Structure formats: structure tokens, C-alpha cells
Amino acid sequence: MIKDQNLKNRHILISGASLAGPALAYWLHRYGFYPTIVEQAPTLREGGYKVDIRGVAIDVAEWMGILADIRQSSTNMRGGTYMNSRNKPIACLPADLLNFREGRDDEIVRGELSHILYERTCNEVEYIFGDSITSIIQDKEKVQITFKHAAPRTFDLVVGADGLHSNVRALSFGDESQFIRYLGAYVSIFTTPNFFHLDHWELYYNTPGKVAGMYSARDTIDAKSFFYFTSPPLHYDYHDSEQQKKLLIEQFAGDGGPIPQILEAVWDAPDFYFDSLSQIQMDCWSTGRTVLLGDAAYCASPASGQGTSLALVGAYILAGELAEVRGDYKMAFARYESTIRKYVEANQKLGIEGVKDAIPRTQTEVWFRTQMIRLLPYLPWKDLIARKMTRATQQAANAITLKSYER
């Protein structure tokens, strides 16, 4: 699309510099808007867990010109092994089957994708690190923004791309308790030493109501350890990582195998992450000149495996609709919501089912899971079973037909 000099509402503030925010900024700048990104963290967030890019999100990455970079930084995982409580292998499965990928789908560490998006935008987009929005006052013409540190500024539009616990959503729509839907489990992921010398490989341990594991990709010196567990809602401080680490250790106290060794390393983890498996469900993603994007608007939870794809696709559509109607934000926001709503619903449904499937609740379910995994590689119809296992994910990943906004 040729940059339109008649665009309205060109100055756009985006809160969040992870994935959705920079992806949106890329498209907005390409179409002639002037995006600014404010990020609470003092620098770009490095590390993080591996994320999948599937279905139509691969097309978006290709149109952005970053698909080759993603391929180069791919985790290139080869597969995974399920272990029993005595730390003995049960069965091995290939990576694509473990992560429900097909065809051009790929996988990359979140921090590396964030870095790719930053490199594609940092020369054209203003980034403000180590700051956050403290108030949003909008009228018919503009949005007045105050920051925690920077001087107040005026923008035409504001986008909240700041995650599950979105600050913009809280300021513009109200407390998150109205919109967050807890799915009955928690997740924690953090970097540890590669105790078991994993090389592009994963380990999984299942006990009733719990899943733990470890994987190492690309850099085999370190590994990522992950823990999932079911629980009634826990009450803790989102900003207190020490409290969260204690909660995690309490949940897995008494578990055998490598779990004690992994958990001991949590105290030195440079990138500890802990949160509920939850979704954001809202009837409307915009109010006035403010709109939400990615997890802030429609988090499907990590159990869906589609958070990154939702961010990339949502950014593409929101920017495209704004460009197509020359910055008429009311029309663009309405078209953005109507275009992506069914795609979001399909992937949120996937997230709900993903929690049920990923964490066996009882010893019987653990036993059944163990037998299925053990037998699968030897069944004559294993390919048919594999396709059935990936079908729901692939349907959700392709549950939208993207139009071209460039003319």
C-alpha cells in the first residue's frame, strides 16, 4: 500500500513492546502512521519460552519479511521423551506431533522473535523503555496521556498490547476481574542449567494434576524448565517473584525424579515466569479512541499454543483496517473486531480444551496417557492418529481468510 498523505489519526501510542505491539508498529509505519511504543521494562525482554507460529500467522510473517529470520532462529526441536516417576523413559515422540505442527509451521524462542520484530522497527518507530501509562483522558479529537516518568503527551489513538494483565485495559475498561476467566491451572517457566545434556530435545513428567519438564534448543548450555499444575485460584502478588517461587515449590514438594534438582535452580533463574492459565473474554475491544490487541484483548492462554499467532494476525488486521479507511478509527475498530472475532473464538476454545488435555487429573488418566504414548509409535495407523491429534489445532490456526490490504 502506498502511504496515504490524507490519513487521519496518524499518531498512535502502543503500550507493550513484546510481540503484538512491535508487529502492529511495523504495519502502521508501513502504511504511513507514526507509532510510538511505551514499555514498562527497562530494556527489550530477552529469553522466554518457545512459541509456535502456525497457519495464517506464517503468511503474516512472510508478508512482513521476517519468515527467513524465524527459520534461521527456529528451535529445530527433534522430539521429546515422556518419563515415569522413577526417571525412566516411557516413549519418544517427534516434535511436530508433540506441538501439533504441520507444513510451514515453525517454533521460536519468544525473546528471539521479540528481537526480530524490534530490529525491523527500531529505526522508524519511537520506543520508550522503562515507563508506563498512568492515565488516559480522551475526547472527540485527541487522547491525553500521562506517564509514570515522561512528560504528558497527546496522541490520536491508543493501543493496549500489554498482555494478560493489561494496564491500558484497566485504565480504559475497568478492573480485569470483569474479563479474566481462570482455566483451573497455573504455569511456570524459567531458565536452568541443562542438567541432562538435552540437545534439541524435551523431557516430560506426568503426575495427577501436574506436568513438569525441560527442553533445550539452539543453546545447549542452558535449558528451559516448565511446570503446570491444577489448583483452585491462588492469591499472590503478581510483582513478587519470590512469593511465586515459594508457591511453585510447595505445589511440587514431594515429587521425585529430577523435580527437586530443577526446583532448586529456580532461585537463580534470570527469567522466572509464573501466572495462571487464563483467558480474556470481552464483548468489545475498543472504547472511544482506545483499542486492545493480542493477549490484552483476547488471551487464549499458553495452553492454546496460539498466543503468538493471535498477536501477529491481530496486528496485521488492525493496522490494515486503519489504513484501508484512512484512519477512521470508529470504522476501523469495528471492522477489526468483526473480522477477527471468529478466529479468536476458535483459538480460545482450543485453549480451554488444551488445559484439559495437557494435565491429566487422576492416576487413571496418567496411566491411560502413558499407555497411549507408549503404544503410538508402534501402531500401524499411527499416522492417522497423529493427523487426528493435530486437526483441532490446525483448524483453529487457519480459522480465518486474510485479505490483502496493500493495493
Side-chain angles (χ1 to χ4, degrees), residues 153-337:
R153 290 174 62 176
T154 300
F155 294 88
D156 296 312
L157 304 173
V158 176
V159 181
D162 44 357
L164 176 66
H165 305 295
S166 168
N167 178 46
V168 170
R169 189 183 62 235
L171 290 171
S172 301
F173 294 83
D175 190 84
E176 75 173 32
S177 60
Q178 304 172 75
F179 314 112
I180 196 165
R181 303 292 180 265
Y182 176 55
L183 301 183
Y186 287 82
V187 58
S188 181
I189 303 174
F190 50 92
T191 298
T192 63
N194 190 359
F195 297 118
F196 308 108
H197 309 291
L198 302 174
D199 182 7
H200 298 82
W201 201 260
E202 303 183 57
L203 297 180
Y204 291 86
Y205 300 83
N206 283 167
T207 55
K210 302 176 187 177
V211 175
M214 175 182 285
Y215 61 84
S216 186
R218 304 195 74 220
D219 182 358
T220 56
I221 297 175
D222 293 327
K224 300 291 183 183
S225 294
F226 56 88
F227 294 82
Y228 294 85
F229 62 91
T230 58
S231 170
L234 299 174
H235 301 286
Y236 60 93
D237 184 350
Y238 292 122
H239 305 290
D240 188 343
S241 61
E242 296 300 299
Q243 181 189 20
Q244 296 163 25
K245 291 175 182 179
K246 291 177 182 178
L247 284 173
L248 176 65
I249 290 172
E250 288 172 3
Q251 290 292 329
F252 285 83
D255 286 64
I259 304 303
Q261 184 180 10
I262 296 174
L263 286 177
E264 184 62 31
V266 74
W267 299 109
D268 299 318
D271 55 353
F272 179 77
Y273 172 82
F274 182 95
D275 211 335
S276 65
L277 291 179
S278 296
Q279 294 186 343
I280 296 298
Q281 298 178 4
M282 303 179 69
D283 295 329
C284 183
W285 301 321
S286 64
T287 176
R289 292 175 171 270
T290 301
V291 65
L292 302 176
L293 173 68
D295 280 357
Y298 35 76
C299 177
S301 91
S304 72
Q306 281 293 98
T308 299
S309 294
L310 282 166
L312 294 178
V313 173
Y316 172 77
I317 294 172
L318 177 56
E321 293 296 343
L322 277 166
E324 195 161 72
V325 297
R326 296 184 173 183
D328 183 338
Y329 70 92
K330 291 182 180 179
M331 184 180 295
F333 292 172
R335 288 168 55 161
Y336 156 65
E337 292 197 24

Side-chain angles (χ1 to χ4, degrees), residues 328-347:
D328 183 338
Y329 70 92
K330 291 182 180 179
M331 184 180 295
F333 292 172
R335 288 168 55 161
Y336 156 65
E337 292 197 24
S338 63
T339 299
I340 201 174
R341 178 71 69 172
K342 289 185 178 179
Y343 176 65
V344 166
E345 290 173 350
N347 284 284

Side-chain angles (χ1 to χ4, degrees), residues 69-80:
D69 298 317
I70 291 171
R71 299 288 192 225
Q72 187 174 2
S73 299
S74 174
T75 60
N76 292 318
M77 299 297 291
R78 297 182 293 114

